[in-house]
Amino acid sequence: MRPEDLPEIRHLHLFRDMTQANFEALMTSSYALNFPQGLEMIRQGDPADFLHIVLEGSVELFARWGGRECTMAMVQPVSTFILAASIRDAPYLMSARTLERARIILIPSSDLRAMFRRDTEFSVSVINELAACYRSVVRNAKTLKLRNSRERVASYLLRQSILAGGVVSYTLPVEKRLLASYLGMTPENLSRTLKALEGDGLKMDGARVIITDRAKLTALAQPDKLIDGPDVAGNENGAGLPSTRL
Amino acid sequence: MRPEDLPEIRHLHLFRDMTQANFEALMTSSYALNFPQGLEMIRQGDPADFLHIVLEGSVELFARWGGRECTMAMVQPVSTFILAASIRDAPYLMSARTLERARIILIPSSDLRAMFRRDTEFSVSVINELAACYRSVVRNAKTLKLRNSRERVASYLLRQSILAGGVVSYTLPVEKRLLASYLGMTPENLSRTLKALEGDGLKMDGARVIITDRAKLTALAQPDKLIDGPDVAGNENGAGLPSTRL
DNA sequence: CGAGCGGTTGAGGCATGTCAAGAGTTGTGG
DNA sequence: CCACAACTCTTGACATGCCTCAACCGCTCG
């Protein structure tokens, strides 16, 4: 591991509050790996021997079943992934592959489990992180069950705009193909939906998103703090924690 | 709270490993309530002031958005629900209503948060519980995105059969209306799907499920340990933790 | 007994997936 | 440097899964 990696990891919520000695202990048993693009570094069903942290590049979490495949999440630096499996010492429920060349830290699960018995602040951090992850997946499930594809697309695009600081125009952070899978639809359907949203306040130019009428698009997407996260302008409810990635 | 409630709560994974003194401290600040059937005791968006435990009866967790509504989970005794919101001191993401008359324990969230800073064993239990909940929702999301409604129904019915001990026949634990919503479909569609599954090894008689050809039904459902939980007979993968409720 | 509700069934429509073809882009190797 | 392969994205035609609306049955409960 490179010395300049450590401060970045230390800044994560998960590791911010533990003692310096314990942090260093955890890091000495860990190591860093550089993966090429498109490499499947985690295969669902394998034992979760390591907690992973993306330092550079980006990672796709996806799931397979009976020949089908779908994107579950996209992980950008700096964040951890598959914490739950590491903790339960259980098989990964999702696979992971690099979307671009990526630098990944691996922390042995057993060290992790030992550590939160020793460091109370760390265990509190783990609890908070897990609770946040849980809520994130619940939001995901809600959007899948309550919204149709058109609404999912519109709310996704709006949310991205808001996370980027309320900008009118931005570039999609991922390929449309991937986005389609994440939103639970086919690439063809996404393509058509994007075209159909012209006239509802949206304009696409390749991977460039242009919000031509935010009010109109918002009326269609009906962003909700209990689905899209507290940062989205919207309705009456809620307050409080980071929204879903991707 | 009734004295006979305590042992039941104590047996939960969440409270099993904490010290007796801490358990008693937590219980003295808690109280029990009896709710009539159909009462919405938690409304999504409200602050999560209490961790809930179902002792008797059953509870439906559901979500609303823009006039639509769907069932997210069914909670049977004895289990906790909405642990994550209590911990994050965040608004509930889901609403809850009683499906029948229910006896519920309420533990103040602030006491809960204070407790896992004091009792290491308890914090480990919370971590394990949250990780299990997280994985449960991920499974749920996987089944929604990877399987069509026919496959969801078939795998649900098979899983119930297996959880009941591999029985050939059993009664649905919930109304079909509710089950449909849980599985992400309309009651009409569920009704038709159940009828269509005759000829694939299934026979319905009202709320009674009869598996006439397990091999055939299994071939259709393709149960997977990484979706349906480790208890289902099936493919190569996985080992390890409780499956989704309902 | 009548109202209300869950369940079923049918008819019809819309949303979404499938299949196929073509344009544009990127990466690679000769 | 070009040719080619591979891939994404788009578009069209078509099939189908699923929903909507409506009617009806049977049951429960006031």
Side-chain angles (χ1 to χ4, degrees), chain B residues 175-177 188 191-192 195:
Chain B
E175 286 178 350
K176 289 184 184 173
R177 187 177 180 12
E188 295 95 324
S191 189
R192 277 186 259 268
K195 173 154 282 190

Side-chain angles (χ1 to χ4, degrees), chain A residues 175-177 187-188 191-192 195:
Chain A
E175 285 177 349
K176 289 183 184 172
R177 186 179 177 24
E188 296 95 324
S191 190
R192 278 186 258 269
K195 172 153 281 189

